[in-house]
Amino acid sequence: MSSKFDPQKNYQQTKKQVGYMERQQTAPEDYRRIGFMSGLEVHQQLDTKEKLFCHCPSGVFHRNEAYNAEVIRHMRPAMSELGGYDGTALMEFKTRKNIIYHINNETACTYEVDDTPPFKINPEALGHALKISLLCNLNIVGEVHITRKQYLDGSIPTGFQRTAILGVNGHIQLSNKKVNLIQLSIEEDSCREIADIAHNRWYKTDRLGMPLIETVTAPELMTPNELKEAAEYIRYLNRSTGLVRTGMGAGREDVNVSCKGGSRVEIKGVAHNKWIPELSHNEVFRQWALLHIRQLLKERFQKEEWKMQFQQLDLLEYHFSYQPLLDCRKKEHQIVAINLPGCKGILSHFTQPGQMFADEISQRLKVIACIELPNLLHSEQFENIVSKNDFDKIRSKFKASETDAQFIIWGAVNDIQTAIEIIEERFKMIFDGVPNETRKSLANGTTIFERVLPGADRMYPDTDSAPIPLSDEYINTLQANLPEETYKRISLLKEWETPIDSHTFILSKNLFPVIQEIIERFQYNPKRISTIFGHTYKHIVGQYKVRSEFNYRKLIALFHFIHEQELHPNIAPYLLPILYQHPSMDFASMLTSLKFKKRSMTELIAPIDFLIEKFREIRKTDDPKDAANWIMGQLHHQAIGNIELSDLRKNVDKRVL
Amino acid sequence: MKDLFQGYKGKALETLKKYNVRVWGKANIKTTRGTFNGTILPRSENDDDQHIVLKIETGYNIGINVGTISDMKETGYKKANYKVPEKEFPYTEGQPQVKLFGTGGTIASRLDYRTGAVIPAFSPGELYGSVPELADICNLSTEKVFAVFSENMGPKQYIALAIAIGKEIENGIDGIIIAHGTDTLHHTAAALTYMVQNPPVPIVLVGSQRSSDRPSSDAALNLMHSAVAAGHGDIAEVMVCMFGPTSDEYGFLHRGTRVRKMHSSYRSTFRTLGDTPIATVTQKGVKPIKKVYNHRRKDRNVKILPYFEEKVSILYYYPNMQPDIIDALVACGYKGIIIAGTGLGHVNKPVYPALKKAIEKGVHIFMTVQTLWGYVNMFVYDTGRDLMALGVVPLDNMLPEAAYIKLGWTLGQTNDRQKVIEIMQTSINDEITKREPYNGYLVYQGGVPEVEQFVKNFRK
């Protein structure tokens, strides 16, 4: 039986056993069955002039190679306020990374590299963040306490992020349910990673220290689509204030997912909300698969009984042809084989589309032991990289049984030692279920291991800064200047009969207040105006590059002009592209460039008789509708900005039909 | 009873008592801003009495204004135990014996709820618990001599340290580390240079610019470097061991009399002025920069000279300095004054009479330069010659702080004017150097293309 073991077949079979299905085929009942549960941490950069704790400019970015100096640091775990060490911190220490920061003098000062203590918190950022907290119906704290949150991956040179809670216990209103918010914090953004190769990781410090808020929902989102709706809602809410940054990386989501019997796993830094459903779908099934693996292994062993064996391989004894193995001699790297008792069928067990359990190990080796990919060969690979003979020889050395599986790993001596520990640790974790992890999202909707999930045991009061009291007067002033709540905006859009496909654009670009002002001030038809913005304007934005002089007040001014000149608003779609491309041009000149002339209905319909005659000469059909259409086409351009086209049509129809 | 409400006072204390909720109690608090749940934390004594500090479940701290509280209930109690894991320092045969004296300071510190800042904490077990690599370098024993911040270090502590060092040397130690706050590290380094003469082993003062409760602290690496220098280095002098660059790369060993803290917060804050550092140090070993230094010896012939006169002052000259300042010092019984003068060592004419009077009353007055780099030269201008005629004695390129400490130490031994001058002008370990090498003054300015290039390629 064993000789016929087919890893590909095993992969497909375990995929079926787990019950994996495509997201489109998955019904809410299916998610309920496997206990899909998720919550969000939505990160949003605030639009401020300066960074959060120093006076460097915020929002200025550099190319990787544009730097003036570099600083090297190493991180060591430090104890939390409650006297514990954090698991992630200890993991990061194991990696022994050299962290190299690239510093550009324009965007980073000595604060960013932790050579100067923090300056007072940026009041502009604090005000922005509090406004958003109020919109989230959060209970605002009486005093803001800056806390240090340890991050040993090097993404912040201090080794911790300065962060502070502004409010707790809020909620947002989705279409079908109310979702609770746990908290909202203000924090400094981290470095941008340039590269991570073996024991070196490079960061640039331009983004570091920019003010950011994090909105955390309760784990109450029960399907991937609901999760996405919540993410969109929070994004609209943040943008409704006009106080946040937009563009690449300005908003990022961490998605927490678990299944019944699983664990909280955090998918980090999801840049696009549209990725959320697929990522969370695959994650919940990955957890479901890991629980299946646990069941398989538990049927064979007790956790305490399971023990793996390893031994170093001598290149000369084998006939390897795989280049990375052959290179080990030159690099003085070790090659180690590991025997995994009773693990046949586990390595090629399905975890995610395109990934099997062995990949979970390989990813941990890359991150924790710093061994670059490819870093693992095993007995259940789809393609035979190591010959059957060589594997048989390895198996006989271990006196392995038919039900065992084997790994081959290679790398520097120190790293291999760490690698062996990691493999043993991960296999033992199978018995406990799903490890708490943070995972990196890939564009195809799957994830890879990023690090061990940190807990609350990494918090420490920031001894460099004093608490900041928030008086009632201050909160009241902020409260007085808030936009309406986002769910009210959504219901107004529906009331206006705004096309549903344009809601996202209007809310995410915060065009709602623009449309509302135009409708209210000039008494235009809401459906017409919101459609102009949801369709025409969206098309323009997609088509042309925005000019720095352009702003939303100019959009309102355009409609003010149309109203004042007693033009018909159907000219707006023709003026908008001109305004967008030439924001400094005066409106009268725009009209001229359209060759616009004021005409009354009488003037416009005067040539109809002539046109009827003309159509008779060139006609191809006798259908009077074709005649009407043709005449409309002739008059259309002159009518725009003067009258409602449907009124003109009525007049034409009257004469032709 | 007081301990139940650690740090709370006034209105906040009243509120806690009213609702019978303790520090470390888990509380449910109803306020006009909504309900909050969490653990009550101690409060800093210097913070106001209007707020209660709460650690919420997610680990963050927040403050609640007591004026907004309408009800409060204690639902549990759990005191945190902030303690660095203590592990017995292992002994390895064949490794050098190093003694570490703790004086306090950032290198060994932990959170203090009384002030909300960090306080010194120190034990060998704690040290090993946080920097286990030390065990691979040497066999370390530790002694807490005192626990004070560096600004509270003074003559009493210098003397106690000098005597303790003397005993350790006598007992055959291979090297000494002194963990010290950084603010006055160079004062202590100078004091020990004068008080502990002709040491046969390295005496290394070390601190950190970032407390050890931070993941990117320089404490661990500084400690390792100092252990290498003390246990394995060949330089048997009083030295300061701190970061060379701000990066985690290498440390410098600075001569105790020529070193100065030059930045309020940089890791690479200590610099040797008017000379090069003696050596660089990494975990691999000490690499001398200077060719001449005192080598490690087998003998135990150290001279301990633990003296100090406290009535000594340092006067930083500024334009329009009034003579009454000097009169006041004399009236207060000061026996010695170090002037940090302008340029080559000058003060303005109106203080001359006051200086003359002071010297006539037996006050010893010496001149150093506030430019820090360069020599006092009182011959170049008439004003300098006038000052010398008054009895103000130039101290060449001695740093003002090194001169201040030396004068205190000298006056602790004698008050005889000729002897005092002789001791002050006789260099013990380079507090005065005969020459300033060309690379002893390197304060580069940014913006110049070649400097920018250098910074980008080399300065980390």
Side-chain angles (χ1 to χ4, degrees), chain B residues 155 158-159 191 194-195 305-314 334-338 364 366 395 398 400-415 420 423-424:
Chain B
Y158 304 153
I159 288 168
Y194 310 138
M195 291 181 180
L305 306 161
Y307 315 110
F308 209 89
E309 166 56 57
E310 300 203 11
K311 283 291 193 186
V312 174
S313 180
I314 192 164
Y334 276 80
K335 295 182 176 156
I337 299 172
I338 299 292
H364 306 272
F366 292 87
L395 286 179
M398 201 185 298
E401 293 82 6
Y404 158 76
I405 295 287
K406 192 169 186 190
L407 186 54
W409 174 74
T410 306
L411 293 179
Q413 303 168 65
T414 175
N415 206 23
V420 170
I423 296 175
M424 286 302 286

Short mmCIF file of all heavy atoms in Angstrom, two decimals, chain B residues 155 158-159 191 194-195 305-314 334-338 364 366 395 398 400-415 420 423-424:
data_model
loop_
_atom_site.label_atom_id
_atom_site.label_comp_id
_atom_site.label_asym_id
_atom_site.label_seq_id
_atom_site.Cartn_x
_atom_site.Cartn_y
_atom_site.Cartn_z
N PRO B 155 31.04 63.11 45.83
CA PRO B 155 32.30 62.75 46.47
C PRO B 155 32.20 61.51 47.36
O PRO B 155 33.07 60.64 47.30
CB PRO B 155 32.62 63.98 47.31
CG PRO B 155 31.95 65.11 46.59
CD PRO B 155 30.74 64.54 45.96
N TYR B 158 32.28 58.58 45.16
CA TYR B 158 33.60 58.38 44.52
C TYR B 158 34.53 57.65 45.49
O TYR B 158 35.22 56.71 45.13
CB TYR B 158 34.26 59.71 44.14
CG TYR B 158 33.44 60.62 43.23
CD1 TYR B 158 33.65 62.00 43.26
CD2 TYR B 158 32.50 60.11 42.35
CE1 TYR B 158 32.92 62.85 42.44
CE2 TYR B 158 31.77 60.96 41.53
CZ TYR B 158 31.98 62.33 41.58
OH TYR B 158 31.26 63.16 40.77
N ILE B 159 34.51 58.15 46.74
CA ILE B 159 35.43 57.60 47.74
C ILE B 159 35.07 56.15 48.05
O ILE B 159 35.93 55.26 48.06
CB ILE B 159 35.39 58.48 49.02
CG1 ILE B 159 36.12 59.81 48.70
CG2 ILE B 159 36.03 57.77 50.20
CD1 ILE B 159 35.93 60.90 49.74
N ALA B 191 37.19 61.19 38.61
CA ALA B 191 37.47 61.02 40.04
C ALA B 191 38.21 59.72 40.29
O ALA B 191 39.21 59.69 41.03
CB ALA B 191 36.16 61.04 40.82
N TYR B 194 41.90 59.73 39.39
CA TYR B 194 42.78 60.37 40.37
C TYR B 194 42.90 59.53 41.64
O TYR B 194 43.94 59.45 42.26
CB TYR B 194 42.26 61.77 40.73
CG TYR B 194 41.94 62.64 39.52
CD1 TYR B 194 40.79 63.42 39.50
CD2 TYR B 194 42.80 62.69 38.42
CE1 TYR B 194 40.49 64.21 38.40
CE2 TYR B 194 42.49 63.48 37.32
CZ TYR B 194 41.34 64.24 37.31
OH TYR B 194 41.04 65.00 36.22
N MET B 195 41.78 58.90 42.03
CA MET B 195 41.75 58.20 43.31
C MET B 195 42.34 56.80 43.23
O MET B 195 42.80 56.26 44.23
CB MET B 195 40.32 58.10 43.82
CG MET B 195 39.74 59.44 44.24
SD MET B 195 38.06 59.22 44.85
CE MET B 195 37.66 60.92 45.25
N LEU B 305 43.78 56.72 46.62
CA LEU B 305 43.90 58.05 47.22
C LEU B 305 42.51 58.66 47.36
O LEU B 305 42.09 59.51 46.56
CB LEU B 305 44.79 58.94 46.34
CG LEU B 305 46.16 58.35 46.01
CD1 LEU B 305 46.78 59.02 44.80
CD2 LEU B 305 47.08 58.48 47.22
N PRO B 306 41.76 58.23 48.37
CA PRO B 306 40.34 58.61 48.46
C PRO B 306 40.11 59.93 49.18
O PRO B 306 39.69 59.93 50.34
CB PRO B 306 39.73 57.44 49.24
CG PRO B 306 40.84 56.96 50.13
CD PRO B 306 42.15 57.33 49.48
N TYR B 307 40.40 61.01 48.51
CA TYR B 307 40.23 62.33 49.15
C TYR B 307 39.29 63.20 48.33
O TYR B 307 39.26 63.09 47.12
CB TYR B 307 41.57 63.05 49.26
CG TYR B 307 42.71 62.16 49.73
CD1 TYR B 307 43.73 61.80 48.86
CD2 TYR B 307 42.72 61.70 51.06
CE1 TYR B 307 44.75 60.98 49.29
CE2 TYR B 307 43.75 60.87 51.48
CZ TYR B 307 44.76 60.51 50.59
OH TYR B 307 45.76 59.69 51.02
N PHE B 308 38.59 64.08 49.02
CA PHE B 308 37.80 65.06 48.26
C PHE B 308 37.35 66.22 49.13
O PHE B 308 36.82 66.03 50.22
CB PHE B 308 36.56 64.43 47.63
CG PHE B 308 36.12 65.12 46.35
CD1 PHE B 308 36.63 64.74 45.12
CD2 PHE B 308 35.23 66.19 46.40
CE1 PHE B 308 36.24 65.39 43.96
CE2 PHE B 308 34.85 66.85 45.24
CZ PHE B 308 35.36 66.45 44.01
N GLU B 309 37.62 67.41 48.64
CA GLU B 309 37.13 68.63 49.30
C GLU B 309 35.87 69.06 48.56
O GLU B 309 35.90 69.32 47.35
CB GLU B 309 38.21 69.72 49.22
CG GLU B 309 37.72 71.11 49.56
CD GLU B 309 37.06 71.20 50.93
OE1 GLU B 309 37.71 70.85 51.93
OE2 GLU B 309 35.88 71.62 50.99
N GLU B 310 34.78 69.17 49.29
CA GLU B 310 33.50 69.44 48.60
C GLU B 310 33.29 70.90 48.23
O GLU B 310 32.49 71.22 47.38
CB GLU B 310 32.34 68.96 49.47
CG GLU B 310 32.44 67.48 49.74
CD GLU B 310 31.11 66.84 50.10
OE1 GLU B 310 30.08 67.51 49.93
OE2 GLU B 310 31.15 65.69 50.56
N LYS B 311 34.03 71.81 48.91
CA LYS B 311 33.80 73.25 48.66
C LYS B 311 34.59 73.71 47.43
O LYS B 311 35.52 74.52 47.55
CB LYS B 311 34.21 74.05 49.91
CG LYS B 311 33.15 73.96 51.01
CD LYS B 311 31.90 74.70 50.61
CE LYS B 311 30.95 74.91 51.76
NZ LYS B 311 29.68 75.50 51.28
N VAL B 312 34.23 73.14 46.32
CA VAL B 312 34.87 73.51 45.05
C VAL B 312 33.75 73.79 44.06
O VAL B 312 32.71 73.14 44.12
CB VAL B 312 35.78 72.37 44.55
CG1 VAL B 312 36.33 72.68 43.16
CG2 VAL B 312 36.92 72.15 45.53
N SER B 313 33.97 74.75 43.20
CA SER B 313 32.91 75.08 42.25
C SER B 313 33.47 75.26 40.84
O SER B 313 34.67 75.42 40.65
CB SER B 313 32.18 76.35 42.67
OG SER B 313 31.16 76.65 41.74
N ILE B 314 32.55 75.25 39.91
CA ILE B 314 32.94 75.47 38.52
C ILE B 314 32.13 76.67 38.06
O ILE B 314 30.94 76.78 38.32
CB ILE B 314 32.66 74.19 37.72
CG1 ILE B 314 33.29 74.22 36.35
CG2 ILE B 314 31.21 73.92 37.56
CD1 ILE B 314 33.34 72.81 35.75
N TYR B 334 33.99 78.73 49.78
CA TYR B 334 34.56 77.89 48.71
C TYR B 334 36.07 78.01 48.69
O TYR B 334 36.61 79.10 48.84
CB TYR B 334 33.93 78.25 47.36
CG TYR B 334 32.63 77.51 47.19
CD1 TYR B 334 31.47 77.99 47.80
CD2 TYR B 334 32.60 76.29 46.53
CE1 TYR B 334 30.29 77.28 47.71
CE2 TYR B 334 31.42 75.57 46.44
CZ TYR B 334 30.28 76.06 47.03
OH TYR B 334 29.12 75.34 46.95
N LYS B 335 36.72 76.86 48.52
CA LYS B 335 38.17 76.84 48.59
C LYS B 335 38.82 76.79 47.21
O LYS B 335 40.00 77.03 47.07
CB LYS B 335 38.63 75.65 49.42
CG LYS B 335 38.17 75.79 50.85
CD LYS B 335 38.67 74.64 51.69
CE LYS B 335 38.27 74.89 53.15
NZ LYS B 335 38.21 73.62 53.88
N GLY B 336 38.03 76.41 46.23
CA GLY B 336 38.60 76.33 44.89
C GLY B 336 37.56 76.61 43.84
O GLY B 336 36.39 76.28 44.03
N ILE B 337 38.00 77.29 42.76
CA ILE B 337 37.08 77.59 41.66
C ILE B 337 37.76 77.25 40.34
O ILE B 337 38.90 77.63 40.10
CB ILE B 337 36.70 79.10 41.65
CG1 ILE B 337 35.99 79.49 42.95
CG2 ILE B 337 35.82 79.42 40.43
CD1 ILE B 337 35.75 80.99 43.09
N ILE B 338 37.03 76.49 39.50
CA ILE B 338 37.48 76.28 38.12
C ILE B 338 36.66 77.22 37.25
O ILE B 338 35.43 77.21 37.30
CB ILE B 338 37.23 74.83 37.67
CG1 ILE B 338 38.00 73.83 38.53
CG2 ILE B 338 37.55 74.66 36.18
CD1 ILE B 338 39.50 73.88 38.38
N HIS B 364 41.76 78.88 45.57
CA HIS B 364 42.57 78.44 44.43
C HIS B 364 41.74 78.55 43.16
O HIS B 364 40.68 77.94 43.06
CB HIS B 364 43.02 77.00 44.63
CG HIS B 364 43.74 76.81 45.93
ND1 HIS B 364 45.09 77.01 46.08
CD2 HIS B 364 43.27 76.50 47.16
CE1 HIS B 364 45.44 76.79 47.33
NE2 HIS B 364 44.35 76.48 48.03
N PHE B 366 41.55 78.30 38.97
CA PHE B 366 42.21 77.79 37.76
C PHE B 366 41.37 78.09 36.53
O PHE B 366 40.16 78.24 36.59
CB PHE B 366 42.41 76.27 37.87
CG PHE B 366 43.43 75.90 38.92
CD1 PHE B 366 43.04 75.72 40.25
CD2 PHE B 366 44.78 75.75 38.59
CE1 PHE B 366 43.97 75.39 41.23
CE2 PHE B 366 45.70 75.41 39.55
CZ PHE B 366 45.31 75.23 40.88
N LEU B 395 45.17 75.76 33.06
CA LEU B 395 45.25 74.29 33.11
C LEU B 395 45.33 73.66 31.73
O LEU B 395 44.83 72.55 31.50
CB LEU B 395 44.03 73.74 33.87
CG LEU B 395 44.06 73.95 35.40
CD1 LEU B 395 42.79 73.38 36.03
CD2 LEU B 395 45.29 73.32 36.03
N MET B 398 42.93 70.80 29.96
CA MET B 398 42.13 69.98 30.87
C MET B 398 40.67 70.38 30.69
O MET B 398 40.34 71.56 30.64
CB MET B 398 42.56 70.19 32.32
CG MET B 398 42.14 69.03 33.22
SD MET B 398 42.49 69.30 34.98
CE MET B 398 44.25 69.45 35.01
N PRO B 400 36.89 71.20 31.67
CA PRO B 400 36.40 71.85 32.89
C PRO B 400 35.94 70.86 33.96
O PRO B 400 36.23 71.03 35.14
CB PRO B 400 35.23 72.70 32.39
CG PRO B 400 35.51 72.95 30.94
CD PRO B 400 36.26 71.75 30.47
N GLU B 401 35.22 69.79 33.54
CA GLU B 401 34.71 68.83 34.52
C GLU B 401 35.86 68.03 35.14
O GLU B 401 35.86 67.78 36.35
CB GLU B 401 33.71 67.86 33.87
CG GLU B 401 32.42 68.51 33.43
CD GLU B 401 32.51 69.20 32.06
OE1 GLU B 401 33.57 69.07 31.39
OE2 GLU B 401 31.54 69.87 31.68
N ALA B 402 36.81 67.63 34.30
CA ALA B 402 37.95 66.88 34.81
C ALA B 402 38.75 67.75 35.77
O ALA B 402 39.29 67.27 36.79
CB ALA B 402 38.83 66.42 33.65
N ALA B 403 38.81 69.07 35.48
CA ALA B 403 39.54 70.01 36.33
C ALA B 403 38.81 70.21 37.66
O ALA B 403 39.41 70.24 38.73
CB ALA B 403 39.68 71.35 35.61
N TYR B 404 37.50 70.31 37.58
CA TYR B 404 36.70 70.49 38.79
C TYR B 404 36.92 69.31 39.75
O TYR B 404 37.19 69.48 40.94
CB TYR B 404 35.22 70.62 38.42
CG TYR B 404 34.30 70.29 39.56
CD1 TYR B 404 34.10 71.19 40.61
CD2 TYR B 404 33.64 69.05 39.61
CE1 TYR B 404 33.28 70.86 41.68
CE2 TYR B 404 32.82 68.73 40.67
CZ TYR B 404 32.65 69.63 41.71
OH TYR B 404 31.85 69.31 42.77
N ILE B 405 36.81 68.11 39.21
CA ILE B 405 36.98 66.91 40.04
C ILE B 405 38.41 66.87 40.59
O ILE B 405 38.65 66.57 41.76
CB ILE B 405 36.69 65.63 39.22
CG1 ILE B 405 35.22 65.59 38.79
CG2 ILE B 405 37.07 64.37 40.00
CD1 ILE B 405 34.22 65.29 39.88
N LYS B 406 39.36 67.24 39.74
CA LYS B 406 40.75 67.16 40.19
C LYS B 406 41.03 68.15 41.30
O LYS B 406 41.75 67.85 42.26
CB LYS B 406 41.71 67.39 39.01
CG LYS B 406 43.15 67.03 39.38
CD LYS B 406 44.08 66.99 38.21
CE LYS B 406 45.45 66.49 38.66
NZ LYS B 406 46.46 66.65 37.61
N LEU B 407 40.43 69.34 41.20
CA LEU B 407 40.66 70.35 42.23
C LEU B 407 40.06 69.89 43.56
O LEU B 407 40.66 70.07 44.63
CB LEU B 407 40.07 71.70 41.79
CG LEU B 407 40.36 72.89 42.69
CD1 LEU B 407 41.87 73.07 42.95
CD2 LEU B 407 39.78 74.19 42.11
N GLY B 408 38.86 69.30 43.51
CA GLY B 408 38.24 68.76 44.72
C GLY B 408 39.14 67.71 45.36
O GLY B 408 39.38 67.70 46.57
N TRP B 409 39.67 66.83 44.47
CA TRP B 409 40.53 65.74 44.95
C TRP B 409 41.84 66.30 45.53
O TRP B 409 42.30 65.89 46.59
CB TRP B 409 40.82 64.81 43.77
CG TRP B 409 41.81 63.72 44.04
CD1 TRP B 409 41.62 62.60 44.79
CD2 TRP B 409 43.16 63.66 43.57
NE1 TRP B 409 42.74 61.84 44.80
CE2 TRP B 409 43.71 62.46 44.06
CE3 TRP B 409 43.94 64.51 42.76
CZ2 TRP B 409 45.02 62.09 43.78
CZ3 TRP B 409 45.24 64.12 42.47
CH2 TRP B 409 45.77 62.93 42.98
N THR B 410 42.40 67.30 44.86
CA THR B 410 43.66 67.91 45.31
C THR B 410 43.48 68.60 46.66
O THR B 410 44.26 68.42 47.59
CB THR B 410 44.16 68.92 44.26
OG1 THR B 410 44.24 68.27 43.00
CG2 THR B 410 45.53 69.45 44.63
N LEU B 411 42.43 69.42 46.74
CA LEU B 411 42.20 70.17 47.98
C LEU B 411 41.81 69.25 49.13
O LEU B 411 41.89 69.64 50.29
CB LEU B 411 41.12 71.25 47.76
CG LEU B 411 41.53 72.39 46.81
CD1 LEU B 411 40.40 73.38 46.63
CD2 LEU B 411 42.80 73.10 47.30
N GLY B 412 41.40 68.05 48.80
CA GLY B 412 41.16 67.05 49.85
C GLY B 412 42.46 66.60 50.50
O GLY B 412 42.46 66.02 51.59
N GLN B 413 43.60 66.86 49.80
CA GLN B 413 44.90 66.40 50.31
C GLN B 413 45.73 67.53 50.89
O GLN B 413 46.45 67.35 51.86
CB GLN B 413 45.70 65.76 49.17
CG GLN B 413 44.99 64.62 48.49
CD GLN B 413 45.69 64.21 47.20
OE1 GLN B 413 46.82 63.74 47.24
NE2 GLN B 413 45.03 64.39 46.09
N THR B 414 45.66 68.72 50.29
CA THR B 414 46.51 69.83 50.74
C THR B 414 45.84 71.16 50.43
O THR B 414 45.00 71.24 49.54
CB THR B 414 47.90 69.79 50.05
OG1 THR B 414 48.62 70.95 50.44
CG2 THR B 414 47.77 69.78 48.54
N ASN B 415 46.25 72.15 51.17
CA ASN B 415 45.74 73.49 50.91
C ASN B 415 46.88 74.43 50.53
O ASN B 415 46.68 75.61 50.32
CB ASN B 415 44.99 73.99 52.14
CG ASN B 415 43.93 75.02 51.77
OD1 ASN B 415 43.49 75.06 50.62
ND2 ASN B 415 43.57 75.86 52.70
N VAL B 420 49.26 72.63 45.54
CA VAL B 420 48.00 72.50 44.79
C VAL B 420 48.27 72.73 43.30
O VAL B 420 47.85 71.94 42.44
CB VAL B 420 46.93 73.50 45.32
CG1 VAL B 420 45.73 73.54 44.38
CG2 VAL B 420 46.50 73.10 46.72
N ILE B 423 50.20 69.77 41.81
CA ILE B 423 49.36 68.57 41.56
C ILE B 423 48.44 68.81 40.36
O ILE B 423 48.30 67.96 39.48
CB ILE B 423 48.52 68.23 42.82
CG1 ILE B 423 49.43 67.83 43.99
CG2 ILE B 423 47.55 67.08 42.51
CD1 ILE B 423 48.71 67.60 45.31
N MET B 424 47.83 70.02 40.35
CA MET B 424 46.87 70.32 39.27
C MET B 424 47.54 70.28 37.90
O MET B 424 46.94 69.83 36.93
CB MET B 424 46.22 71.69 39.49
CG MET B 424 45.19 71.74 40.61
SD MET B 424 43.82 70.57 40.43
CE MET B 424 42.86 71.36 39.13
#
